[in-house]
Amino acid sequence: MSKYMLIMRGTDEGQAAYEQIDFAKVMEDMGRYNESMMDAGVLAAGEGLSDASEGSVVDFSSETPVVTDGPYGETKELFNGFWIVDVASKEEAIEWAKRAPLSGPGTKLEVRRVHGPEDFPQDNEWVQKEEGWREQQAAR
């Protein structure tokens, strides 16, 4: 099994269209989708994000990081939320992504594999430390 992140992306135009949809309907559709993933045993995590006006961007383009608070003016794409699914293949992750109750101009789900500890050199000090940290977190 591998974990994949389904990254919900949209545009200002898509956000404007989304705001015209009945919120109770959105909640019901998302709830049913999430429930279907839980019932199938593939949902590892998932969250929606607050409006971009509440966020900040830390830009590392210069020597000293520069912080810009939202809203950001014209945005070509916004990261609106995510699901992490634990599935057998990228193809299965894509099938789950295609079932998402999303629509509207510029609305997309990006599917990307989440790296696991096995993807890194096992003799690396930091990989070993991280494994210990994960074990500590799981014990809490």
Side-chain angles (χ1 to χ4, degrees):
M1 299 291 275
S2 295
K3 289 183 181 173
Y4 286 84
M5 180 178 267
L6 312 181
I7 304 166
M8 191 184 324
R9 301 183 338 207
T11 62
D12 288 338
E13 182 183 18
Q15 181 64 29
Y18 168 78
E19 290 171 3
Q20 302 304 312
I21 301 171
D22 176 37
F23 188 68
K25 173 87 169 106
V26 170
M27 292 297 294
E28 180 180 342
D29 291 348
M30 284 295 181
R32 288 184 193 280
Y33 179 63
N34 292 341
E35 183 177 52
S36 71
M37 289 192 291
M38 286 185 276
D39 288 347
V42 301
L43 185 62
E47 301 293 338
L49 299 176
S50 66
D51 189 84
S53 65
E54 298 177 32
S56 297
V57 171
V58 180
D59 184 344
F60 295 92
S61 297
S62 61
E63 188 172 320
T64 302
V66 176
V67 177
T68 305
D69 290 329
Y72 314 115
E74 181 186 0
T75 50
K76 299 200 183 324
E77 274 192 344
L78 289 171
F79 176 23
N80 293 319
F82 68 92
W83 292 274
I84 295 181
V85 294
D86 197 358
V87 294
S89 66
K90 180 179 179 182
E91 291 73 25
E92 185 179 356
I94 290 169
E95 286 305 312
W96 280 107
K98 288 167 48 177
R99 297 177 195 165
L102 302 173
S103 63
T107 303
K108 301 173 184 174
L109 268 183
E110 180 179 348
V111 178
R112 295 189 45 197
R113 191 172 71 79
V114 176
H115 281 296
E118 68 280 358
D119 293 318
F120 299 97
Q122 298 303 298
D123 60 348
N124 180 280
E125 170 189 6
W126 292 102
V127 171
Q128 293 169 359
K129 282 184 178 185
E130 185 171 327
E131 183 59 31
W133 297 330
R134 289 176 191 263
E135 289 171 7
Q136 288 174 1
Q137 290 295 323
R140 289 184 179 182

